[in-house]
Amino acid sequence: MGSPEEARVRLPQLRLDELLEELQARLDAARGTQDRVHSLLEAVLSVGRELDLEQALHSIVEAAAALVDAEYAALGVIGPDGRRLSAFHTVGVSDEQIARIGPYPEGHGILGELITHPEPLRLAKLSDHPASFGFPAHHPPMNTFLGVPIRVRDQVFGNLYLTEKRGGAQFDEDDVSVTLTLAVAAGIAIDNARLYEESRLRERWLRANAEIAHSLMSGGDGTQVLALIAERAGEITGSALAAVALPMADTGTLAVEIAVGMDAEAHRGLVLSMDKSLMGLAFAAAAPVTSIDVGHDERISLEPPRFGGLGPAVAVPIGTGEAGARGVVLLARETGEPAFSATETETLQAFAAQAAVAMELAERRQDAEQIAVLEDRDRIARDLHDLAIQRLFATGMTLQSAGRFIEHEGASERVVRAVDDLDETIKIIRSTIFGLRTRDGAGEAGLRARAVRVVGEAAPVLGFAPSVRMEGLLDTDVPKETADHVVAVLSEALTNIARHARASRAEVVLATDGREVRLSVTDNGAGLPSGGRRSGLRNMAERAEQSGGRLELGAPEGGGTALTWRVPLRKA
């Protein structure tokens, strides 16, 4: 054994070693803390640099996983209903694993616990929590768990989920503190990305409005402008279908003039009622109308089928106020896509209002141009009457007077013929003056409106409202005589369905390509009887033959009758 003196020497040495070890541990802890703070600052800067929202969300998940050394990390975005997750961003799970696992979670179990109680949640073992109910097949095993909410302006935007701390360790309070700090920075970054996205979106809407106004003011075709409204609204909102409908005068219906996108053919030319269509409801209320699932909305008539594969939809009137709505724009997204938010609907409403103002200004310009044309016509008519006719009349009187002094028989006859020619010329000029002063087509309903009126009058007798589709320039290309035949044939066809078909559904298609007009009336009734009177069909066939056309009868695949009446157009 050593002496007491040696023991006294060793004791301070041991204490010094302990102090040095403790100092080293504290230095290591301080260095570790410094490194972690540095990593946190780098993560905050990295997240704050992103302006694209999707990229910002992915950066947040990556930064969170790196900060707490988690093997798996995810960010769940809470949907508009506040109860489910509308988007899910992951780190640590491959695309192949995600495909095997199946759909992303909606927010049940532990994930739902954080939605219901947006407070930090740290678990040593996930399966021990009462809200846990296991994982789907092919899901990687997860035990340790840390979840924190992300708030944007005092509203919970979503939650960060971190699992499986590397090395088999547990998440500690420092991990919670670091993640909460990152969540605050993430909230600011998300808010900035949202504001940037909204500003870019507003810029796109403004550009679209300017494009529409320029097209209208430069005398662009009305149909092209409506197509531009539909296309731009569909592009900006990410819609699968965009359509524009306009009211038909004195019929209480809307006609779909433009449809672009998914299954557009099924919508184009349809005549819609005000109470059984999303567009009609929006037009009647002069306010936006939304649907979570337009293909299964009880307010909407699904005949004819036209919403396959479509889900969320919104219909917004084009213009409101004293002037009333000028039309309606309909947008629909594919099934499974997010519903139209209140912000999107308000922005779309502002876009439609601006489009209506541009349409109003363009109409006023066209009215002014029309007034100028009419005034010019009146001036020409007045000059023809006051100058040309008077001078011709005076010349005729002079020739008549001079004719009495002409003794040569041939010369006298020529003078008489000249006087007769002058009389004919005066009649032609007077007819021209009458034409200049007459407003073409004033007070006459077009073929479109007449056909819709016939269908509307037949609906109470049929017991249901037939679906109507119209295509082409029916009011412009179809002469009045042919239009009268079309209306008569349509009325007769619907009357026959009411009397004999025992049908529950009928479809009317009236179309022209500029060369011929075609009327198709199809029902799902009993079909054509083998015998019996066919005077109505004979009348239709005679009308077609008189105009150089034909009547065709057939039986659709599902039963019933298909009548097609077509005649060539003889333009005046």
Side-chain angles (χ1 to χ4, degrees), residues 42 58 143 171 173 188 221 272 373 388 462 488 511 533 547 559:
E42 281 188 345
H58 191 72
N143 291 299
F171 292 109
E173 287 297 333
I188 297 169
D221 178 70
L272 305 172
V373 169
L462 290 165
R533 296 177 59 189
S547 302

Side-chain angles (χ1 to χ4, degrees), residues 53-70:
L53 183 58
E54 292 299 310
Q55 189 57 46
L57 296 178
H58 191 72
S59 296
I60 291 166
V61 181
E62 287 184 329
L67 279 173
V68 299
D69 208 18

Side-chain angles (χ1 to χ4, degrees), residues 68-69 115 155 179 235 356 401 536 555 560-561 568 570:
V68 299
D69 208 18
I115 295 173
Q155 223 175 18
T179 311
E235 288 169 6
S401 300
T561 305
R570 296 173 179 171

Side-chain angles (χ1 to χ4, degrees), residues 497 501 521-529 537 552-556 559-563:
I497 293 173
V521 183
T522 308
D523 66 72
N524 66 341
L528 288 170
L537 294 175
E552 300 169 356
L553 298 172
T561 305
L563 177 152

Side-chain angles (χ1 to χ4, degrees), residues 463-479:
F464 59 87
S467 68
V468 183
R469 186 191 308 278
M470 297 189 182
E471 299 175 8
L473 302 174
L474 294 165
D475 293 341
T476 304
D477 287 349
V478 182

